[in-house]
Amino acid sequence: MKDVKVLDHNDVDVKDIISNMIQKSRAAMEKFYRYSQEQVDEVVQAVAWAIYQPNHAEALSKLALDHTGLGRYEDKVTKKRRKTLGTLRDLKGVKSVGVINVDVAKGITEIAKPVGVVAAVVPSTNPGATPANIAMMALKGRNTVIIAPSPKGQSTSKLLLQYIHKEFDKIGAPHNLVQVLPAPVNKALTNELMKQADFVTVTGSANNVYNGQTSGKPNACVGAGNVVSIVDATANIEKAARKIFLSKTFDNATSCSNDNSVVIEADVYDEMIAALQKEGGYLCDEREKGLLQDAMWIDGKRNARTVAIDPYILAEEAGLEDADAKNATFFMVQESGVGKEYPFSGEKLAVVLTVYKAVDFKGALDLTKTILNYQGRGHSCGLHTTDDSHIAQIGEEIDVCRLLINQVQVYGNGGSFNNGLNFTLSMGGGSWAGNNIGENLSYTHFLNITRVSRVIPEVVPTEEELWSNYWNKYGR
């Protein structure tokens, strides 16, 4: 293959590379289209087993960490296995081939069909887990997938592909059901793939999401998160602190679902801070907060050297000299402002938790709205409480697609075995986030549905049935 490092969007070689991959995908899909539901489910199982196997999950996690420098090895292994197990559970026994539903009363028969060749743009934070997750969902609908990894994540995605193809050999499935962009991956290849594919899904940077949404193709692209969790005065403080700690530190905060800020009611503020400190959190003073900010942002831009790194390395980068800081599991910075002038109020992708104090629950809601309106609106929010009225109130007032009550945010947002959300690594934020989807990405987003309509007995309402209440109130 020719070196594509210097190619741009209009270079004929880029178009040819992608065109060749698309042709291979379509040829594989022609065979795949004739698969039975049982055969399709075996393909999905093959992809799941390719990443779930302990030695595979471990090798992929090590390679991802070595080449991207992002996250924690143990958590990456856990993520790959847990997400795969949950997604396969969600897909097991679900109809996605041929007739999937018959509504006799309405005379409607629904027949599932593929959306086509799926371009799956995936982030450097999850170069193994996200491609496998999306591939399982897309293949469930008899689509083919071409994975567009980040440049640093290409080696991991390539190894995943080798594992998948090895499983495909066992069941006689075409290799080209799943492909990965060749190295060196660049913007030109990724953007051209989005132009030529039939359907686009993007999980990752704002630029990639924008390119996916403006590619001219149907898409399910998801935006950034900036999770805020509220701790009200009725919360179980120790349990809340434990859950926020687990969420903040998982995989060194690579996920869009990691807690970024916590808003604490004043009545329990000191108690909550003490509980977070017991979990290993280090509360920075103003000088240390400044050092941390200087290390994490350079000229207003996020410093890649401090993204998703271990806390002791972050302490070294920031020049935090306190022994407790060097041994911290995460860092806390107190904040009162929101916006560009207050960078800690946004998504950080670091083991840094921004702490706000609110006078009361109403103040906590107002502050949370302000934070999410700055960044993260539509994505998700958490509440730690024992007050059902607070649950009802926040559900009405906060514009997010996922509101988790007394849960570990990073575990629960993308589906959990103890909540009803489907497993995924891609979460939509609805129109609030400028996304086409608000729910968790699932196999249903990769289906076209033919609705066969039969004649049923005619039912025509009377005028009285439709307007009587209106006439009685306002007249004719």
Side-chain angles (χ1 to χ4, degrees), residues 135-198:
M136 291 170 66
M137 296 176 189
L139 290 168
K140 181 73 176 179
R142 292 178 295 169
N143 304 284
T144 55
V145 184
I146 300 177
I147 298 162
S150 67
K152 290 183 179 180
Q154 200 275 345
S155 57
T156 303
S157 296
K158 182 180 178 182
L159 179 59
L160 171 66
L161 185 69
Q162 292 173 7
Y163 291 153
I164 290 173
H165 286 174
K166 184 177 179 181
E167 296 303 316
F168 281 178
D169 287 339
K170 295 179 183 179
I171 62 176
H175 279 197
N176 290 325
L177 292 179
V178 182
Q179 299 179 71
V180 173
L181 288 184
V185 176
N186 59 19
K187 292 180 181 179
L189 280 175
T190 300
N191 289 338
E192 185 62 31
L193 172 62
M194 290 192 281
K195 291 178 181 178
Q196 292 195 34
D198 299 310

Side-chain angles (χ1 to χ4, degrees), residues 111-144:
I111 303 172
K113 297 174 183 177
V115 296
V117 179
V118 175
V121 182
V122 300
S124 57
T125 51
N126 290 308
T130 300
N133 189 258
I134 292 174
M136 291 170 66
M137 296 176 189
L139 290 168
K140 181 73 176 179
R142 292 178 295 169
N143 304 284
T144 55

